[in-house]
């Protein structure tokens, strides 16, 4: 089977969050199943600079109003994976991130930028494909690629099937109706059963309505998004697709996130010999400006500083947490208000609380390895990867019972196979109660070691997910054959 993944970010070429990790890792897992997956993303300058084996570009006839555009075939630097970059400097060669300028403002032409990407991907799926390669399935990810199934349907004929994965239903790609014309979509799609969304157009809705099959990144989130509380206005659309919606838990890249061979950490360690973890903790304390204290339980937090992640839930309990003898290290970037609160906390509790504001891939590994416990207090979490990295690094997760957190961490007091601590509710007191339980176990080293070993040896490889995605692709192809 031939599959084309299309996404606004792919690790290690461009990354703002877990989406990049997923699209960077999942395609590789298809190799062992005998299938061929390739990836397409925008030709951001850093991505263009990182790829290898760059070959002759294929011109794109319609550059979506930009000067000119072409598809550049190349390979990923770290695997041999084939990648297609949509090279259009006017759209993608800009200072800042994939979606925003350096000041955190969305690029005003985002619909057109990602329509260009989506159309390039859809073009590969029609009429024999491009460069002698036509995927059987185009697998699109999040709102940026919501137009992929729309273009495929619009063009018709014997096109590739489409699968659309919801990584986060909260980001809906909402724009004024005029964008329909800009992106070359049929004006008749401005309709409540198509792209229209409260007087605007939603590119996420485009994917939800028109893809042959929908998936999301955990079974629990697949159920949650059919309810009003998690649907953010789109739960009805999701419910209407329930028969062709499946929740498939993400895996993790166990080569990149491997404490036994991680160049970023102070000393390698494994489930069989965890002794190196103590040095990693000391190294983290030193690097984060925390007091050197082998005995103090060290709690790590890492992620985008946005409402979703519930960082404020932990900040609200900080005085009590510090009182209990904990040290806390936070790394994140995002909303200025939350960044300021983290900095303030670090100033108030100097030596006990450390805030590393910014994006730092290497230090993320240092935290995962050096902390004893890892908090993910998210209000909602489609899957979440950091708690799985924590498990692999022998760092016990304390998570809210939602989405993929509920599907990847079992509570030690609820299950004989427990690997962490799970809490309900969303107040500082709810979090604190779970942390108190964590502290109690931490004070019983033998029991702690047993739980830690269980987490470290859990299988979060991508293979299981790839098998499930393959079933989805097969059912799409069967349905298309009629
Ligand atoms: P989301 O995609 O919602 O941000 P995930 O848990 O799925 O959440 O993935 C987040 C990814 O981004 C992880 O790989 C995590 O290590 C990384 N990450 C988030 N914030 C930072 C940061 N400030 N510095 C380095 N890595 C980060
Ligand atoms: C989204 C979600 C996160 C998930 C990631 C990868 O960014 O917020 O929970 O792990 O996508 O699927």
């Amino acid at each position: 089977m031939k599959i084309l993944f299309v996404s606004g970010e792919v690790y290690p070429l461009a990354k703002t969050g877990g989406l990049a990790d997923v699209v960077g890792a999942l395609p590789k897992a298809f190799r062992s199943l005998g299938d061929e997956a390739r990836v397409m993303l925008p030709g951001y300058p850093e991505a263009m600079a990182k790829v290898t084996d760059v070959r002759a570009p294929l011109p794109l006839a319609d550059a979506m109003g930009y000067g000119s555009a072409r598809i550049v075939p190349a390979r990923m630097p770290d695997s041999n994976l084939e990648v297609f970059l949509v090279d259009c400097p006017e759209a993608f060669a800009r200072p800042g991130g994939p979606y925003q300028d350096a000041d955190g403002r969305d690029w005003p032409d985002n619909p057109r930028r990602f329509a260009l990407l989506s159309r390039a991907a859809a073009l590969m799926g029609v009429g024999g494909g491009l460069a002698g390669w036509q995927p059987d399935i185009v697998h699109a990810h999040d709102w940026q690629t919501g137009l992929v199934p729309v273009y495929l349907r619009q063009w018709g004929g014997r096109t590739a099937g489409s699968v659309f994965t919801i990584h986060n239903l909260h980001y809906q790609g909402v724009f004024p109706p005029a964008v329909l014309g800009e992106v070359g979509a049929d004006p008749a799609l401005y309709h409540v059963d198509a792209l229209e969304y409260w007087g605007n157009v939603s590119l996420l809705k485009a994917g939800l309505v028109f893809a042959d099959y929908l998936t999301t990144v955990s079974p629990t989130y697949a159920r949650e998004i059919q309810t009003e509380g998690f649907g953010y206005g789109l739960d009805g659309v999701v419910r209407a697709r329930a028969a062709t919606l499946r929740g498939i838990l993400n895996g993790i890249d166990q080569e990149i996130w491997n404490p036994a061979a991680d160049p970023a950490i102070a000393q390698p360690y494994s489930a069989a010999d965890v002794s190196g973890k103590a040095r990693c903790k000391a190294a983290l304390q030193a690097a984060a400006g925390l007091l050197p204290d082998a005995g103090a339980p060290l709690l790590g937090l890492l992620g985008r500083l946005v409402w979703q992640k519930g960082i404020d839930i932990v900040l609200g309990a900080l005085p009590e947490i510090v009182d209990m003898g904990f040290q806390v290290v936070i790394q994140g970037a995002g909303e200025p208000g939350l960044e300021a609160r983290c900095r303030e906390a670090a100033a108030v509790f100097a030596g006990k609380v450390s805030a590393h504001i910014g994006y730092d891939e290497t230090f993320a590994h240092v935290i995962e390895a050096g902390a004893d416990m890892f908090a993910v207090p998210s209000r909602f979490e489609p899957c979440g990867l950091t708690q799985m990295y924590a498990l692999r690094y022998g760092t016990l997760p304390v998570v809210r019972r939602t989405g993929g957190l509920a599907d990847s961490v079992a509570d030690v007091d609820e299950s004989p196979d427990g690997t962490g601590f799970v809490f309900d509710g969303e107040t500082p007191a709810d979090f604190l109660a779970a942390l108190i339980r964590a502290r109690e176990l931490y004070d019983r080293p033998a029991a702690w070691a047993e739980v830690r070993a269980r987490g470290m040896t859990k299988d979060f490889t991508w293979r299981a997910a790839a098998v499930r995605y393959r079933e989805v692709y097969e059912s799409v192809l069967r349905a298309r054959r009629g």
Side-chain angles (χ1 to χ4, degrees):
M1 201 181 289
K2 297 200 283 286
I3 311 121
L4 177 67
F5 281 75
V6 49
S7 167
E9 54 187 275
V10 182
Y11 184 84
L13 303 181
K15 167 167 168 178
T16 72
L19 169 62
D21 291 2
V22 170
V23 184
L26 176 57
K28 293 193 262 178
F30 283 101
R31 278 190 193 149
S32 62
L33 302 180
D35 298 312
E36 190 193 1
R38 300 186 183 188
V39 177
M40 180 181 275
L41 79 159
Y44 309 117
E46 45 313 348
M48 300 288 282
K50 278 185 189 162
V51 291
T52 58
D53 190 22
V54 176
R55 272 151 291 132
L58 317 160
L60 275 171
D62 177 354
M64 202 66 80
Y66 298 109
S68 69
R70 37 194 218 154
I71 298 179
V72 176
R75 281 177 198 277
M76 295 294 257
D78 56 339
S79 60
N80 224 13
L81 199 72
E82 281 276 349
V83 53
F84 299 106
L85 293 152
V86 178
D87 179 26
C88 176
E90 213 186 314
F92 300 124
R94 301 175 179 183
Y99 319 119
Q100 299 179 327
D101 67 18
D103 296 324
R105 280 179 306 242
D106 290 348
W107 298 113
D109 56 343
N110 271 345
R112 218 152 41 91
R113 296 170 78 229
F114 290 103
L116 177 65
L117 171 70
S118 301
R119 227 209 11 217
L123 270 172
M124 305 228 45
V126 298
L130 291 174
W133 195 77
Q134 181 182 16
D136 303 300
I137 297 285
V138 182
H139 187 160
H141 298 264
D142 271 357
W143 72 261
Q144 292 85 355
T145 60
L147 287 169
V148 168
V150 173
Y151 292 132
L152 284 171
R153 292 227 180 179
Q154 219 164 276
W155 298 334
R158 214 178 52 79
T159 70
S162 62
V163 173
F164 184 74
T165 295
I166 306 157
H167 293 264
N168 195 326
L169 198 72
H170 196 48
Y171 299 106
Q172 304 187 332
V174 176
F175 303 100
V179 305
L180 276 184
E182 283 176 28
V183 303
D186 184 347
L189 293 174
Y190 190 69
H191 185 276
V192 65
D193 295 321
L195 274 61
E196 191 273 337
Y197 187 58
W198 300 105
N200 282 307
V201 155
S202 161
L203 298 187
L204 181 76
K205 191 177 171 190
L208 298 182
V209 172
F210 289 105
D212 291 329
Y213 213 104
L214 302 180
T215 72
T216 188
V217 288
S218 70
T220 295
Y221 194 59
R223 288 190 297 275
E224 287 172 338
I225 54 177
Q226 299 184 49
T227 67
E228 215 182 306
F230 290 88
Y232 299 105
L234 285 170
D235 44 295
V237 179
V238 176
R239 274 197 303 279
R241 298 283 327 251
T244 43
L245 164 69
R246 185 160 174 194
I248 300 176
L249 190 69
N250 285 335
I252 61 173
D253 191 319
Q254 303 213 128
E255 279 172 29
I256 293 168
W257 295 94
N258 177 11
D262 186 336
I265 68 176
Q267 191 178 323
Y269 60 93
S270 64
D273 177 7
V274 86
S275 58
K277 194 163 166 63
R279 233 184 99 207
C280 294
K281 178 171 176 178
L284 171 57
Q285 285 171 327
L290 297 169
L291 299 168
D293 184 347
L298 176 45
L299 178 69
L301 280 117
L302 163 71
R304 296 180 293 115
L305 296 180
V306 294
W307 178 83
Q308 171 193 346
K309 299 289 175 182
I311 178 90
D312 51 299
I313 297 170
V314 174
L315 292 178
L318 261 191
E320 290 85 353
I321 294 172
V322 170
D323 254 6
M324 279 163 62
F326 273 86
Q327 295 185 342
V328 181
V329 55
I330 305 171
Q331 172 167 300
E335 288 165 13
L338 286 173
E339 290 186 352
R341 281 186 67 187
C342 292
R343 283 203 184 92
E344 254 166 56
V348 172
F349 301 108
K352 303 275 182 65
V353 176
S354 165
H356 198 210
I357 303 303
Y359 194 92
D360 184 339
E361 194 76 33
T362 304
F363 205 64
H365 289 244
V366 174
I367 294 175
E368 295 278 10
D372 296 301
M373 300 163 209
F374 190 90
V376 193
S378 308
R379 293 192 162 83
F380 71 94
E381 195 62 78
C383 179
L385 300 173
T386 57
Q387 80 283 5
M388 294 195 264
Y389 300 151
L391 286 168
R392 181 121 165 94
Y393 280 69
T395 305
L396 270 53
V398 184
V399 304
R400 239 191 117 237
R401 197 188 312 274
T402 186
L405 301 174
D407 293 340
S408 58
V409 180
D411 191 287
V412 293
D413 293 323
E414 293 172 5
S415 157
D417 285 331
T419 52
F421 308 89
V422 184
F423 66 97
D424 298 287
E426 43 184 275
T427 67
D430 295 319
F431 174 73
L432 204 56
L435 200 65
I436 289 169
R437 291 194 293 122
R439 171 80 224 224
E440 283 163 7
L441 192 73
Y442 181 78
D443 289 336
R444 291 164 45 215
W448 183 266
E450 195 184 306
V451 174
R452 183 175 59 196
R454 203 147 54 218
M456 291 183 82
T457 49
K458 266 218 126 45
D459 180 10
F460 287 119
T461 50
W462 272 103
R463 197 187 152 82
V467 168
R468 295 187 174 105
Y469 278 111
R470 201 176 194 290
E471 289 165 7
V472 167
Y473 302 153
E474 271 166 358
S475 94
V476 166
L477 296 178
R478 260 197 315 275
R480 288 177 85 83
R481 281 193 295 265

